[in-house]
Structure formats: structure tokens, C-alpha cells
Amino acid sequence: MALLPSLARRLQGTNSRLYRHLVIFRPILSPSSSSSPSPPPFFHYLSRAFYQRRHAPSPLAHYFSTFPSSSAQNHEYPFDVNDYKVQTTHDPGLHRFLELLREVSLCPSEVEAMACLDESGIEANQEMVYSAIWESREEWKLAFLAFKWGDKWGCGDEQACNLIIWVLGNHRKFNTAWCLIRDMHMHRSKMDTRRAMLIMIDRYASANDSSKVIRTFHIMEKFRLTPDQEAFHTILKALCKYGNMKRLKNSWFSIGNVLEAKRIWREMSKCCIMPDGTSYTHMISCFSKVGNLFDTLRLFDEMKKRSCIPGLEVYNSLIYVLTHENCFKEALKILDRMKELGLQPDSSTYNSMIRPLCKAKRLEEARNILTSMMQENLSPTLETYHAFLEGAGFEGSLEVLDRMRKSGLGPTSDTFLIVLSKFFKLEEPENATKMFMEMKHYEIVPSSAHYSVLILGLARCGWLIKAREFYAEMRSNGFSEDPKLKKLLKESVQCSKHKGKRRIQLVKRDKSVNNRKGKSMR
């Protein structure tokens, strides 16, 4: 791929600061420099974890050291909730069971609730328990009650355990989840506790709690499970997936911490955990997301030198970062190269160009890519429409919303959160208010999140009367009081009164000065 070295040379001439950053990207497994800056706590803990595993292997170390190297295409993520969506189907007793769960949840105690379920005459089966947990995933107490009742009747198998641990993690009920994992380890010897631990790592990462990610990594050994390449992949992918890199505290993937990321790879080498296709794929994805073009290209080059075959996700990452960094022609060349190699571009490939183009207000080029996408018999996705919404004005947004409805892809509740946030960012409260009213047209019932974005945006734009009106509407629709919004509106009112009093004082002072001047002139 002669394109990439030539691109690096071209960029070298235009941006010497970035070139210096490229020069310090030494081979990933080279010895660390003594002059390198001190790593942040996140790196320190993970590095120490790998080091300790190296010198104190568990009884299962041999087994995990021979764990098959997984490719970027087939590596299994710890828990795919999509597997459970198809299980919420054809059990005629499911609807009745869900209604009964809600009724018995009002019982004074869990014992009474379980007794009511026992007396209901409903027969537990694994599919119904899975489905009940999934359908109740937004209300963890109901989901947990369904699990415990199913477990009592022998339906609490490994899949049900993994699902309820995922649900508990979503609601940050980590202590309850850990109790279940300990029970799995001590009393359910046939169950794979390892998978449950990886789910916990994933949920802690989604909760932006990197310290608990590392703690779980350490705890694995107490369960006689040696953290290996799969555990590393889980951490890596979870941080990339949930990490909005700028937000993750102490993350060695955040902007400016590239060196720490490379140190992790060196630590992997010390522990005989060699980077493979999956590791490279995640790293390239991370660097691409933060717009780090040089390191993305360099890692891509190293990946090929190590005989790791780049997959579709890697090429999509390249296309995204090239388009994002104003190298659109090169991104198109990568697209052509993919086709030559027999890799079939998918909707994510085209979205990788459409998203940054729309963000840069290059809408004509984005529309051209959309046309090419449809010529390849690929339909626009929700992500495609959301990208165009980011770059559209008010009338354009209405057009996109209408197209979404005709295509059967929404608009969704999230769609309007994107639109509201965009117009407030542009300081267009009137258009934001109009869009909020449009939700009814698309049969979207406003949630507390919509009201929160709307009221906060209106208050910040100085539309205090409207903000208070919508807050009153939110409360009348049964939503709980929001202390943050209430405080903001109260402070805004006080601030307005203070400004009003100050204005009156200034007017009185000016009148007094004018009167004195008039007297002195006479």
C-alpha cells in the first residue's frame, strides 16, 4: 500500500509538530525509554497486574497460555445482548408472567412475592425466564425477581446468570452481581465464571469506572482464572466501545497518552502475550476515533508486517480517520483497495465517510457517498440519518426526519435528543423548541431526558419563562422532580431579579446625577 507512506510524507511537510509525534512512535515491543513520562494510575495498575501474573501463575496458567489466538473477525465479546432479543417471543404465558411479576413486586417481602409466584400456577421454563429477564431489563428488581424464581425451579442456568449480571451491571448494582458470581463459583461448578467476570469488566467500563475494571482484572486470579489475551481484549474493546476517549479518566487511550498505550503492549510482551489481529484492530479503532491519523497508519503498517490480515473493521477505521483529517481522496482510494482485496464494503464503511463529512458541513460530498452506498444495494442506516441530522439546518432536519419515517427507521427517541442538542449548541432555542413539538407528530413521547435537554438549553439561552413552562409540563406528566433543573431555574430567577434591581439602581443613579447637573447649571 504505497498510498500510506506517501501520505505520511505529505503530511510531514505540512505539520512538523505531528511529524515529531510520529517519529517517537517506536516499535511497540521495543524497550521503554527512561526519559518517558510517568504513566497515569490506570496504566500503573494494569501494568502491575500483568507483571504479577507473570511471576505468580495460577494453577490454570498452562491452560490459558495455550488459549487459541483469536482473529479480529471471530473474537467473541463477553456478552452479546442481541442473542436475547429473539427469545422474547412465542411463549403465551410470558405476558401473564410479566404482569404477575409487577403485581408481586409490591409484596412486603421477597418471601411473600416468591410464594405468590409459586401459587400462580405458572410453570417455569428456561426460555420464559430468559425472556422475562430481558423484557424487565429496565427495572432490575423485576428482572432479579424473575431470575431468582426461575433459579428456584432449576431454570437459572449459565445464560440466565450472565444475562442478569449484565442487567445488574447496567443499573450499577455491582455488589448484587458479585454475590451471584461468588455463588456461581462456589456452588455451580459447571458454570463458566470467567464469562461472568468479563461481563463485569465490560459493565464497569460502560459505567466509566476504570479503577473497578482493573480491580476485577486482579480479582480474576482469586477465582483461579488467569487473565490472558482474551481478558486484555475485553478491557481494550470495552474501553474503546464506551470510552468517549476524552472522558475516560486516566485512560491510556485518551489524547496525549499514546505513549502509555505503547507501554501496555510492551508489558504484554513481557508476559508472553503477543499482539494479534484483534489487539491491532482495537488499537487502530481507538486511535481512529480520536482523530490520530499518524498512529492509525503506523499501527496498520505494523499489523501487516506481523502477518496479521486487516479485516473490514480496520479498513473502516482507516477510512474514518482519513476523512476526518481532511484526506478524503485517500479515503476513497482505501475504499477502492478494499474492493480489490475482495472485502465487501458495508453500511459502516460508507458511514465512516458520511459522518465526518456531515460534521464538517461538506453535505454535497456526503450526499454523493450516500448515492454510491445505495448503488451498492446498501440501505441507509439509523447512523446514516443521524449523521445528516448533525449537519442539517431546520428545514433540512425536517426533511431527514420525513425520510427516516418513510424508510421505517424512526425517527427514534435518540434522534430527537441529537436534534435538540444540536440546535442548542448552535444557540437556536426557537428551532429546538419547534423540534420538541415535532416529536408528537412522529408519535414519540418525550422522556425525562428530552425534557432535561430542552429545559437546560432554554435556561442557558436565556429563555427562562419557556424553561419554567416546560419544567411545569414535565412535572404534570408524572416525571420526578429534577433537583439539578430546579436549582438552575431558581438561580436563574434570582439572577434575573438581581439584574433587574441593579438596572433600577443604575437608572435612579443616572436620574440623580442628571438632577444635580441641572441644578449646578442653573
Side-chain angles (χ1 to χ4, degrees):
M1 259 238 177
L3 160 69
L4 301 182
S6 64
L7 177 61
R9 285 195 297 273
R10 178 162 69 83
L11 290 173
Q12 171 190 344
T14 59
N15 196 326
S16 59
R17 181 179 62 81
L18 285 177
Y19 177 65
R20 288 196 298 274
H21 183 61
L22 174 64
V23 170
I24 64 172
F25 194 117
R26 297 181 176 88
I28 289 174
L29 300 178
S30 65
S32 58
S33 169
S34 59
S35 61
S36 299
S38 299
F42 184 90
F43 163 78
H44 173 71
Y45 290 130
L46 188 56
S47 170
R48 188 172 64 186
F50 275 116
Y51 183 80
Q52 289 172 346
R53 296 318 171 274
R54 181 188 178 201
H55 292 283
S58 78
L60 296 181
H62 173 71
Y63 170 76
F64 288 116
S65 67
T66 59
F67 198 88
S69 177
S70 52
S71 70
Q73 286 75 27
N74 63 17
H75 178 67
E76 183 185 2
Y77 202 45
F79 187 68
D80 186 359
V81 297
N82 291 321
D83 294 342
Y84 290 83
K85 292 180 182 179
V86 299
Q87 294 176 359
T88 63
T89 51
H90 314 296
D91 188 340
L94 175 60
H95 183 67
R96 171 60 186 145
F97 181 49
L98 290 171
E99 287 183 342
L100 187 60
L101 273 177
R102 192 169 295 280
E103 291 172 10
V104 303
S105 67
L106 301 175
C107 291
S109 68
E110 185 181 292
V111 173
E112 292 179 61
M114 297 288 274
C116 289
L117 288 172
D118 290 340
E119 295 167 4
S120 67
I122 294 178
E123 295 184 8
N125 63 72
Q126 289 181 336
E127 184 177 350
M128 185 177 72
V129 172
Y130 299 150
S131 301
I133 296 171
W134 172 257
E135 289 295 322
S136 306
R137 63 191 181 278
E138 300 300 331
E139 300 177 74
W140 72 271
K141 290 183 179 179
L142 293 182
F144 196 46
L145 183 60
F147 169 78
K148 293 186 78 172
W149 183 72
D151 189 40
K152 178 181 177 181
W153 294 99
C155 300
D157 64 357
E158 185 177 314
Q159 283 187 309
C161 286
N162 287 342
L163 180 56
I164 192 61
I165 287 170
W166 179 81
V167 171
L168 291 169
N170 284 348
H171 294 272
R172 303 196 179 198
K173 302 300 176 183
F174 293 112
N175 289 340
T176 306
W178 276 117
C179 289
L180 181 54
I181 291 174
R182 281 191 285 271
D183 179 63
M184 290 172 68
H185 178 69
M186 295 175 66
H187 305 298
R188 309 172 192 234
S189 58
K190 293 183 180 180
M191 290 192 182
D192 180 11
T193 312
R194 176 184 184 77
R195 186 62 52 194
M197 301 284 277
L198 296 182
I199 293 170
M200 290 295 281
I201 287 175
D202 175 72
R203 292 297 86 198
Y204 277 129
S206 73
N208 200 17
D209 194 339
S210 56
S211 64
K212 292 293 178 62
V213 170
I214 299 306
R215 186 181 175 192
T216 306
F217 191 83
H218 279 283
I219 288 173
M220 287 184 77
E221 191 170 64
K222 294 181 180 179
F223 285 80
R224 295 189 295 178
L225 298 169
T226 299
D228 63 349
Q229 195 173 70
E230 185 184 22
F232 177 78
H233 287 160
T234 299
I235 293 175
L236 190 58
K237 186 164 184 177
L239 292 175
C240 290
K241 182 177 181 182
Y242 304 110
N244 184 333
M245 307 300 170
K246 298 176 184 178
R247 266 204 331 253
L248 257 179
K249 295 180 180 178
N250 300 326
S251 168
W252 28 268
F253 279 118
S254 59
I255 298 174
N257 285 325
V258 176
L259 291 176
E260 280 67 33
K262 296 163 201 170
R263 285 196 185 96
I264 284 291
W265 284 52
R266 287 193 287 269
E267 291 296 330
M268 287 173 64
S269 176
K270 292 176 185 178
C271 299
C272 300
I273 301 176
M274 299 298 291
D276 65 352
T278 302
S279 302
Y280 276 112
T281 298
H282 295 332
M283 287 282 283
I284 287 171
S285 174
C286 286
F287 286 130
S288 169
K289 285 176 182 176
V290 297
N292 189 329
L293 176 59
F294 277 107
D295 289 337
T296 302
L297 298 181
R298 188 64 176 233
L299 276 175
F300 177 75
D301 187 49
E302 289 207 15
M303 182 180 189
K304 293 194 299 175
K305 286 180 181 178
R306 294 183 185 279
S307 301
C308 297
I309 301 175
L312 186 62
E313 187 178 346
V314 170
Y315 282 105
N316 288 351
S317 295
L318 282 177
I319 285 172
Y320 173 80
V321 73
L322 285 166
T323 308
H324 184 272
E325 294 303 300
N326 203 26
C327 301
F328 182 48
K329 290 182 180 179
E330 285 75 11
L332 292 174
K333 291 177 182 177
I334 294 288
L335 180 64
D336 292 336
R337 180 61 176 156
M338 285 173 60
K339 295 177 181 178
E340 291 173 7
L341 293 171
L343 282 172
Q344 185 61 43
D346 61 5
S347 58
S348 295
T349 308
Y350 289 96
N351 287 337
S352 295
M353 288 182 278
I354 290 172
R355 282 189 289 116
L357 286 173
C358 288
K359 189 174 182 180
K361 306 295 184 184
R362 297 165 64 177
L363 297 181
E364 189 60 36
E365 289 164 301
R367 291 189 192 100
N368 291 337
I369 294 299
L370 177 60
T371 301
S372 300
M373 177 181 177
M374 297 178 74
Q375 288 172 349
E376 294 284 338
N377 294 319
L378 294 170
S379 299
T381 65
L382 192 62
E383 185 182 12
T384 313
Y385 288 115
H386 283 176
F388 277 101
L389 282 172
E390 289 276 7
F394 181 74
E395 294 298 329
S397 296
L398 290 177
E399 183 182 343
V400 174
L401 292 174
D402 192 49
R403 285 175 178 258
M404 291 179 75
R405 180 168 62 179
K406 289 177 179 177
S407 68
L409 283 175
T412 66
S413 178
D414 287 341
T415 303
F416 282 97
L417 286 175
I418 291 171
V419 173
L420 290 172
S421 299
K422 175 190 70 174
F423 282 122
F424 282 123
K425 186 177 179 181
L426 295 172
E427 296 185 354
E428 298 178 11
E430 183 177 359
N431 285 336
T433 305
K434 289 179 180 178
M435 277 298 171
F436 183 82
M437 305 308 293
E438 280 289 318
M439 292 176 65
K440 298 175 184 177
H441 179 64
Y442 292 96
E443 298 181 354
I444 301 292
V445 178
S447 67
S448 59
H450 294 106
Y451 277 110
S452 181
V453 171
L454 178 68
I455 295 165
L456 187 63
L458 290 171
R460 286 177 175 171
C461 289
W463 285 39
L464 296 177
I465 295 175
K466 273 290 182 186
R468 288 194 290 273
E469 287 177 2
F470 280 113
Y471 185 76
E473 179 183 307
M474 181 185 84
R475 296 287 288 119
S476 67
N477 285 339
F479 291 104
S480 302
E481 189 172 77
D482 188 320
K484 180 181 176 182
L485 291 179
K486 188 176 180 181
K487 181 181 178 183
L488 174 68
L489 293 175
K490 185 178 179 181
E491 288 176 349
S492 299
V493 170
Q494 290 174 344
C495 183
S496 297
K497 286 181 179 178
H498 176 73
K499 287 180 179 178
K501 288 179 180 178
R502 179 64 178 160
R503 218 175 284 118
I504 292 171
Q505 289 173 352
L506 289 173
V507 170
K508 287 181 177 179
R509 187 191 67 182
D510 291 341
K511 285 182 178 179
S512 176
V513 170
N514 290 334
N515 288 336
R516 285 199 298 271
K517 284 182 178 179
K519 289 179 180 178
S520 64
M521 287 176 67
R522 286 196 296 271

